[in-house]
Amino acid sequence: MSTETTEVQSEVKEPKKVSEPLLSKRRKQILSDPLNEDNPITVQVLGICSALAVTVKLQPTLIMSIAVIFVIVFSNLIISLMRNLIPTRVRIIVQLAVIASLVTIVSEVLKAYSYPMYKVLGAFVGLIITNCIVMGRLEAFAMGNKPYDSLLDGFGSGFGYAWIILTVAFFRELLGSGSIFNFKVFEELGIAYQANSMMVDSVGAFIILGILIWVQRYVTGYVEN
Amino acid sequence: MDLVSLAVRSIFIDNMIFAYFLGMCSFLAVSKKVSTALGLGLAVVFVLSITAPVNWLLQQYVLREGALTWVSAEFANVNLEFLQFIMFIAVIAGMVQLVEMVIEKFSPSLYGSLGIFLPLIAVNCSILGGSLFMVQRDYTLPQASVYGFGSGLGFALAIVALAAVREKLKYSNVPKPLKGIGITMLITGLMAIAFKSFIGIAV
């Protein structure tokens, strides 16, 4: 009799002890917020430099997105694992050391397996180190949250960054070079299109991003003071 | 003469902001008031004109393939280039720390108004970008120094100009979703068109 009651008790207690489901509502929000409502580029205004610099063509942009997602996910994870060991005073140096190591890995892999792409991206792979999104997420999230949550946050911010720069690159390549992934769209359709060199230039990037921000904020209703 | 044209090129034509989009985050975040923008601009000029030659020496005598031959002939095949990012960022972070201490000592009011953006110069891409471009373009030491100073000045010029426009923008009627970063982006685009016309000038 007594054993039965203890079993019942333990059964009742059990659900409380069970940790959060793998994708609870809160975690889904961590993952999805940076995609639109709290987008790192268009709302938080971070990581603009690389967003504009590599978006002339879609292919390097895609490589860049993958590199940034890799760096942001792993730096978030590593810093979150170490967060209780890092003294606050030297945290910036520690964060930069972790980011710089990860970026070095990306840069060496790219040099080894895709040298032409490495040449195209040039200094901008190195500049992921100073990409404020990476540093910003480490400061704002990974320093105070558990590793798994930080991992999700890294994916969310990484993909939020990726879709914006891919959209910018899509319009810049389409209007600037008349192609998508080097596929000559207008020629195939038989339309004569005079490529607009303004789009290849930095000017096009500023203006397309500006318009993209306008459209996105019109949809989400976010207004800046 | 070569150095003068390099200086002009780095200030106007190869402008950090309008040609390479480097340092955009602080460019957008600190450009609401002319006085603060000027303070940040000068800090960037200072940090860039010191880090460029220092990183040049580092690259030339420590990192580059065969750079260590001055220590001993055995090191002729040593290539430490994979340490480039970490070494450069360490120099930059050290310099920024120094600037921070100097500003705090001599101008506490500027220190207060720059706030978080002073340490963030360390992650300002235009600083690291300056060093990486300098290596990519094989500059000599005098060229690297002039390039560092010139591109710092280019950044300062851009951020002060934008701040001046944004101060006036407060009184204008901008569509709501375009307010803030959106309209700033479009203005930067228009300013970039103006700077593009310098390309037509041969120096």
mmCIF file of all heavy atoms in Angstrom, chain A residues 48-82:
data_model
loop_
_atom_site.group_PDB
_atom_site.id
_atom_site.type_symbol
_atom_site.label_atom_id
_atom_site.label_comp_id
_atom_site.label_asym_id
_atom_site.label_seq_id
_atom_site.Cartn_x
_atom_site.Cartn_y
_atom_site.Cartn_z
ATOM 1 N N ILE A 48 25.754 45.776 -40.934
ATOM 2 C CA ILE A 48 25.414 46.346 -42.229
ATOM 3 C C ILE A 48 26.590 46.237 -43.213
ATOM 4 O O ILE A 48 26.385 46.001 -44.401
ATOM 5 C CB ILE A 48 25.038 47.825 -42.090
ATOM 6 C CG1 ILE A 48 23.957 47.991 -41.043
ATOM 7 C CG2 ILE A 48 24.632 48.408 -43.402
ATOM 8 C CD1 ILE A 48 22.589 47.963 -41.553
ATOM 9 N N CYS A 49 27.812 46.415 -42.692
ATOM 10 C CA CYS A 49 28.974 46.504 -43.593
ATOM 11 C C CYS A 49 29.031 45.317 -44.535
ATOM 12 O O CYS A 49 29.013 45.452 -45.752
ATOM 13 C CB CYS A 49 30.272 46.553 -42.820
ATOM 14 S SG CYS A 49 30.155 47.173 -41.163
ATOM 15 N N SER A 50 29.063 44.120 -43.943
ATOM 16 C CA SER A 50 29.225 42.952 -44.794
ATOM 17 C C SER A 50 27.954 42.714 -45.594
ATOM 18 O O SER A 50 28.002 42.226 -46.720
ATOM 19 C CB SER A 50 29.546 41.733 -43.949
ATOM 20 O OG SER A 50 28.518 41.521 -43.030
ATOM 21 N N ALA A 51 26.821 43.109 -45.026
ATOM 22 C CA ALA A 51 25.558 42.910 -45.738
ATOM 23 C C ALA A 51 25.591 43.628 -47.073
ATOM 24 O O ALA A 51 25.070 43.145 -48.069
ATOM 25 C CB ALA A 51 24.395 43.425 -44.914
ATOM 26 N N LEU A 52 26.205 44.802 -47.101
ATOM 27 C CA LEU A 52 26.212 45.574 -48.328
ATOM 28 C C LEU A 52 27.379 45.191 -49.228
ATOM 29 O O LEU A 52 27.267 45.190 -50.445
ATOM 30 C CB LEU A 52 26.289 47.060 -47.996
ATOM 31 C CG LEU A 52 25.106 47.581 -47.198
ATOM 32 C CD1 LEU A 52 25.359 48.985 -46.754
ATOM 33 C CD2 LEU A 52 23.847 47.521 -48.031
ATOM 34 N N ALA A 53 28.512 44.842 -48.613
ATOM 35 C CA ALA A 53 29.731 44.695 -49.399
ATOM 36 C C ALA A 53 29.751 43.453 -50.269
ATOM 37 O O ALA A 53 30.309 43.475 -51.359
ATOM 38 C CB ALA A 53 30.936 44.690 -48.469
ATOM 39 N N VAL A 54 29.144 42.359 -49.824
ATOM 40 C CA VAL A 54 29.284 41.118 -50.582
ATOM 41 C C VAL A 54 28.073 40.819 -51.460
ATOM 42 O O VAL A 54 27.988 39.752 -52.050
ATOM 43 C CB VAL A 54 29.525 39.904 -49.656
ATOM 44 C CG1 VAL A 54 30.824 40.066 -48.909
ATOM 45 C CG2 VAL A 54 28.373 39.692 -48.718
ATOM 46 N N THR A 55 27.124 41.764 -51.543
ATOM 47 C CA THR A 55 25.864 41.416 -52.188
ATOM 48 C C THR A 55 25.781 41.780 -53.664
ATOM 49 O O THR A 55 24.692 41.941 -54.198
ATOM 50 C CB THR A 55 24.681 42.081 -51.444
ATOM 51 O OG1 THR A 55 24.976 43.470 -51.302
ATOM 52 C CG2 THR A 55 24.472 41.473 -50.091
ATOM 53 N N VAL A 56 26.913 41.885 -54.343
ATOM 54 C CA VAL A 56 26.846 42.191 -55.771
ATOM 55 C C VAL A 56 26.269 41.013 -56.561
ATOM 56 O O VAL A 56 25.462 41.174 -57.464
ATOM 57 C CB VAL A 56 28.233 42.566 -56.323
ATOM 58 C CG1 VAL A 56 28.187 42.794 -57.801
ATOM 59 C CG2 VAL A 56 28.742 43.808 -55.625
ATOM 60 N N LYS A 57 26.698 39.795 -56.177
ATOM 61 C CA LYS A 57 26.216 38.588 -56.842
ATOM 62 C C LYS A 57 25.657 37.634 -55.790
ATOM 63 O O LYS A 57 26.059 37.673 -54.635
ATOM 64 C CB LYS A 57 27.375 37.899 -57.581
ATOM 65 C CG LYS A 57 27.854 38.653 -58.815
ATOM 66 C CD LYS A 57 27.273 37.998 -60.060
ATOM 67 C CE LYS A 57 27.445 38.866 -61.282
ATOM 68 N NZ LYS A 57 28.634 38.562 -62.035
ATOM 69 N N LEU A 58 24.748 36.746 -56.221
ATOM 70 C CA LEU A 58 24.124 35.836 -55.252
ATOM 71 C C LEU A 58 25.089 34.780 -54.714
ATOM 72 O O LEU A 58 25.005 34.412 -53.559
ATOM 73 C CB LEU A 58 22.922 35.140 -55.899
ATOM 74 C CG LEU A 58 21.597 35.884 -55.740
ATOM 75 C CD1 LEU A 58 20.585 35.355 -56.716
ATOM 76 C CD2 LEU A 58 21.069 35.755 -54.323
ATOM 77 N N GLN A 59 25.988 34.291 -55.596
ATOM 78 C CA GLN A 59 26.817 33.170 -55.159
ATOM 79 C C GLN A 59 27.743 33.503 -53.990
ATOM 80 O O GLN A 59 27.709 32.805 -52.963
ATOM 81 C CB GLN A 59 27.616 32.645 -56.342
ATOM 82 C CG GLN A 59 27.913 31.181 -56.198
ATOM 83 C CD GLN A 59 28.684 30.659 -57.396
ATOM 84 O OE1 GLN A 59 28.863 31.352 -58.398
ATOM 85 N NE2 GLN A 59 29.157 29.441 -57.272
ATOM 86 N N PRO A 60 28.553 34.595 -54.079
ATOM 87 C CA PRO A 60 29.356 34.936 -52.905
ATOM 88 C C PRO A 60 28.505 35.264 -51.688
ATOM 89 O O PRO A 60 28.896 34.982 -50.553
ATOM 90 C CB PRO A 60 30.163 36.155 -53.353
ATOM 91 C CG PRO A 60 29.592 36.607 -54.627
ATOM 92 C CD PRO A 60 28.866 35.466 -55.226
ATOM 93 N N THR A 61 27.314 35.833 -51.919
ATOM 94 C CA THR A 61 26.428 36.148 -50.800
ATOM 95 C C THR A 61 26.017 34.887 -50.061
ATOM 96 O O THR A 61 25.970 34.848 -48.830
ATOM 97 C CB THR A 61 25.170 36.866 -51.310
ATOM 98 O OG1 THR A 61 25.567 37.895 -52.189
ATOM 99 C CG2 THR A 61 24.388 37.450 -50.182
ATOM 100 N N LEU A 62 25.731 33.831 -50.846
ATOM 101 C CA LEU A 62 25.324 32.570 -50.231
ATOM 102 C C LEU A 62 26.456 32.005 -49.379
ATOM 103 O O LEU A 62 26.240 31.589 -48.233
ATOM 104 C CB LEU A 62 24.937 31.574 -51.330
ATOM 105 C CG LEU A 62 24.261 30.306 -50.856
ATOM 106 C CD1 LEU A 62 22.922 30.609 -50.221
ATOM 107 C CD2 LEU A 62 24.074 29.335 -52.006
ATOM 108 N N ILE A 63 27.685 32.036 -49.920
ATOM 109 C CA ILE A 63 28.848 31.545 -49.177
ATOM 110 C C ILE A 63 29.012 32.359 -47.893
ATOM 111 O O ILE A 63 29.234 31.821 -46.806
ATOM 112 C CB ILE A 63 30.135 31.680 -50.018
ATOM 113 C CG1 ILE A 63 29.992 30.941 -51.346
ATOM 114 C CG2 ILE A 63 31.354 31.204 -49.235
ATOM 115 C CD1 ILE A 63 30.237 29.481 -51.274
ATOM 116 N N MET A 64 28.862 33.669 -48.040
ATOM 117 C CA MET A 64 29.016 34.564 -46.883
ATOM 118 C C MET A 64 27.966 34.243 -45.823
ATOM 119 O O MET A 64 28.277 34.186 -44.633
ATOM 120 C CB MET A 64 28.871 36.014 -47.366
ATOM 121 C CG MET A 64 29.145 37.035 -46.312
ATOM 122 S SD MET A 64 30.888 37.105 -45.914
ATOM 123 C CE MET A 64 30.858 38.412 -44.712
ATOM 124 N N SER A 65 26.715 34.011 -46.258
ATOM 125 C CA SER A 65 25.662 33.691 -45.275
ATOM 126 C C SER A 65 26.016 32.432 -44.516
ATOM 127 O O SER A 65 25.866 32.366 -43.294
ATOM 128 C CB SER A 65 24.310 33.452 -45.951
ATOM 129 O OG SER A 65 24.093 34.363 -46.947
ATOM 130 N N ILE A 66 26.472 31.412 -45.257
ATOM 131 C CA ILE A 66 26.806 30.154 -44.592
ATOM 132 C C ILE A 66 27.934 30.379 -43.584
ATOM 133 O O ILE A 66 27.873 29.902 -42.444
ATOM 134 C CB ILE A 66 27.212 29.082 -45.627
ATOM 135 C CG1 ILE A 66 25.999 28.748 -46.507
ATOM 136 C CG2 ILE A 66 27.728 27.829 -44.940
ATOM 137 C CD1 ILE A 66 26.331 27.944 -47.724
ATOM 138 N N ALA A 67 28.947 31.168 -43.996
ATOM 139 C CA ALA A 67 30.076 31.442 -43.095
ATOM 140 C C ALA A 67 29.602 32.150 -41.834
ATOM 141 O O ALA A 67 29.992 31.784 -40.723
ATOM 142 C CB ALA A 67 31.124 32.285 -43.814
ATOM 143 N N VAL A 68 28.738 33.158 -42.013
ATOM 144 C CA VAL A 68 28.275 33.912 -40.849
ATOM 145 C C VAL A 68 27.426 33.033 -39.944
ATOM 146 O O VAL A 68 27.574 33.066 -38.716
ATOM 147 C CB VAL A 68 27.503 35.174 -41.275
ATOM 148 C CG1 VAL A 68 26.818 35.813 -40.087
ATOM 149 C CG2 VAL A 68 28.445 36.172 -41.910
ATOM 150 N N ILE A 69 26.539 32.213 -40.525
ATOM 151 C CA ILE A 69 25.718 31.329 -39.686
ATOM 152 C C ILE A 69 26.617 30.396 -38.880
ATOM 153 O O ILE A 69 26.437 30.229 -37.673
ATOM 154 C CB ILE A 69 24.718 30.522 -40.552
ATOM 155 C CG1 ILE A 69 23.668 31.463 -41.133
ATOM 156 C CG2 ILE A 69 24.031 29.446 -39.721
ATOM 157 C CD1 ILE A 69 22.754 30.808 -42.140
ATOM 158 N N PHE A 70 27.631 29.833 -39.541
ATOM 159 C CA PHE A 70 28.574 28.950 -38.836
ATOM 160 C C PHE A 70 29.225 29.677 -37.658
ATOM 161 O O PHE A 70 29.217 29.196 -36.528
ATOM 162 C CB PHE A 70 29.637 28.458 -39.831
ATOM 163 C CG PHE A 70 30.790 27.738 -39.190
ATOM 164 C CD1 PHE A 70 30.687 26.397 -38.861
ATOM 165 C CD2 PHE A 70 31.975 28.403 -38.918
ATOM 166 C CE1 PHE A 70 31.746 25.737 -38.262
ATOM 167 C CE2 PHE A 70 33.039 27.751 -38.318
ATOM 168 C CZ PHE A 70 32.924 26.409 -37.990
ATOM 169 N N VAL A 71 29.769 30.871 -37.946
ATOM 170 C CA VAL A 71 30.500 31.593 -36.900
ATOM 171 C C VAL A 71 29.569 31.988 -35.761
ATOM 172 O O VAL A 71 29.893 31.812 -34.581
ATOM 173 C CB VAL A 71 31.190 32.849 -37.478
ATOM 174 C CG1 VAL A 71 31.786 33.695 -36.362
ATOM 175 C CG2 VAL A 71 32.270 32.457 -38.451
ATOM 176 N N ILE A 72 28.367 32.482 -36.096
ATOM 177 C CA ILE A 72 27.485 32.984 -35.044
ATOM 178 C C ILE A 72 26.967 31.840 -34.176
ATOM 179 O O ILE A 72 26.921 31.942 -32.947
ATOM 180 C CB ILE A 72 26.348 33.837 -35.649
ATOM 181 C CG1 ILE A 72 25.716 34.720 -34.581
ATOM 182 C CG2 ILE A 72 25.274 33.032 -36.291
ATOM 183 C CD1 ILE A 72 24.764 35.727 -35.157
ATOM 184 N N VAL A 73 26.628 30.695 -34.795
ATOM 185 C CA VAL A 73 26.115 29.570 -34.032
ATOM 186 C C VAL A 73 27.193 29.036 -33.093
ATOM 187 O O VAL A 73 26.966 28.866 -31.891
ATOM 188 C CB VAL A 73 25.622 28.456 -34.979
ATOM 189 C CG1 VAL A 73 25.428 27.158 -34.222
ATOM 190 C CG2 VAL A 73 24.325 28.864 -35.639
ATOM 191 N N PHE A 74 28.385 28.812 -33.611
ATOM 192 C CA PHE A 74 29.401 28.204 -32.765
ATOM 193 C C PHE A 74 29.963 29.172 -31.728
ATOM 194 O O PHE A 74 30.262 28.760 -30.610
ATOM 195 C CB PHE A 74 30.508 27.572 -33.608
ATOM 196 C CG PHE A 74 30.092 26.245 -34.151
ATOM 197 C CD1 PHE A 74 29.564 26.138 -35.426
ATOM 198 C CD2 PHE A 74 30.178 25.109 -33.360
ATOM 199 C CE1 PHE A 74 29.142 24.923 -35.916
ATOM 200 C CE2 PHE A 74 29.756 23.887 -33.848
ATOM 201 C CZ PHE A 74 29.237 23.793 -35.123
ATOM 202 N N SER A 75 30.095 30.468 -32.090
ATOM 203 C CA SER A 75 30.606 31.389 -31.072
ATOM 204 C C SER A 75 29.584 31.537 -29.954
ATOM 205 O O SER A 75 29.938 31.564 -28.778
ATOM 206 C CB SER A 75 30.966 32.738 -31.677
ATOM 207 O OG SER A 75 29.850 33.326 -32.274
ATOM 208 N N ASN A 76 28.291 31.566 -30.307
ATOM 209 C CA ASN A 76 27.242 31.618 -29.285
ATOM 210 C C ASN A 76 27.344 30.410 -28.361
ATOM 211 O O ASN A 76 27.284 30.531 -27.147
ATOM 212 C CB ASN A 76 25.863 31.629 -29.959
ATOM 213 C CG ASN A 76 25.167 32.955 -29.816
ATOM 214 O OD1 ASN A 76 25.707 33.886 -29.265
ATOM 215 N ND2 ASN A 76 23.959 33.041 -30.321
ATOM 216 N N LEU A 77 27.498 29.233 -28.966
ATOM 217 C CA LEU A 77 27.556 28.000 -28.186
ATOM 218 C C LEU A 77 28.777 27.995 -27.268
ATOM 219 O O LEU A 77 28.670 27.727 -26.071
ATOM 220 C CB LEU A 77 27.596 26.805 -29.149
ATOM 221 C CG LEU A 77 27.615 25.431 -28.504
ATOM 222 C CD1 LEU A 77 26.324 25.180 -27.744
ATOM 223 C CD2 LEU A 77 27.803 24.350 -29.554
ATOM 224 N N ILE A 78 29.948 28.348 -27.830
ATOM 225 C CA ILE A 78 31.184 28.282 -27.051
ATOM 226 C C ILE A 78 31.159 29.290 -25.904
ATOM 227 O O ILE A 78 31.460 28.948 -24.752
ATOM 228 C CB ILE A 78 32.411 28.532 -27.970
ATOM 229 C CG1 ILE A 78 32.578 27.351 -28.931
ATOM 230 C CG2 ILE A 78 33.669 28.705 -27.137
ATOM 231 C CD1 ILE A 78 33.541 27.603 -30.049
ATOM 232 N N ILE A 79 30.748 30.536 -26.223
ATOM 233 C CA ILE A 79 30.727 31.559 -25.169
ATOM 234 C C ILE A 79 29.715 31.183 -24.090
ATOM 235 O O ILE A 79 29.956 31.355 -22.895
ATOM 236 C CB ILE A 79 30.399 32.940 -25.765
ATOM 237 C CG1 ILE A 79 31.572 33.461 -26.598
ATOM 238 C CG2 ILE A 79 30.070 33.942 -24.678
ATOM 239 C CD1 ILE A 79 32.811 33.806 -25.804
ATOM 240 N N SER A 80 28.572 30.603 -24.515
ATOM 241 C CA SER A 80 27.564 30.228 -23.537
ATOM 242 C C SER A 80 28.078 29.111 -22.633
ATOM 243 O O SER A 80 27.784 29.077 -21.441
ATOM 244 C CB SER A 80 26.310 29.797 -24.278
ATOM 245 O OG SER A 80 25.379 29.310 -23.377
ATOM 246 N N LEU A 81 28.860 28.189 -23.198
ATOM 247 C CA LEU A 81 29.432 27.122 -22.370
ATOM 248 C C LEU A 81 30.451 27.687 -21.385
ATOM 249 O O LEU A 81 30.586 27.199 -20.265
ATOM 250 C CB LEU A 81 30.115 26.077 -23.265
ATOM 251 C CG LEU A 81 29.195 25.135 -24.036
ATOM 252 C CD1 LEU A 81 29.990 24.332 -25.048
ATOM 253 C CD2 LEU A 81 28.468 24.208 -23.090
ATOM 254 N N MET A 82 31.169 28.745 -21.798
ATOM 255 C CA MET A 82 32.220 29.286 -20.951
ATOM 256 C C MET A 82 31.746 30.438 -20.081
ATOM 257 O O MET A 82 32.536 31.021 -19.346
ATOM 258 C CB MET A 82 33.382 29.811 -21.811
ATOM 259 C CG MET A 82 33.985 28.819 -22.754
ATOM 260 S SD MET A 82 35.623 29.331 -23.323
ATOM 261 C CE MET A 82 35.375 31.000 -23.802
#
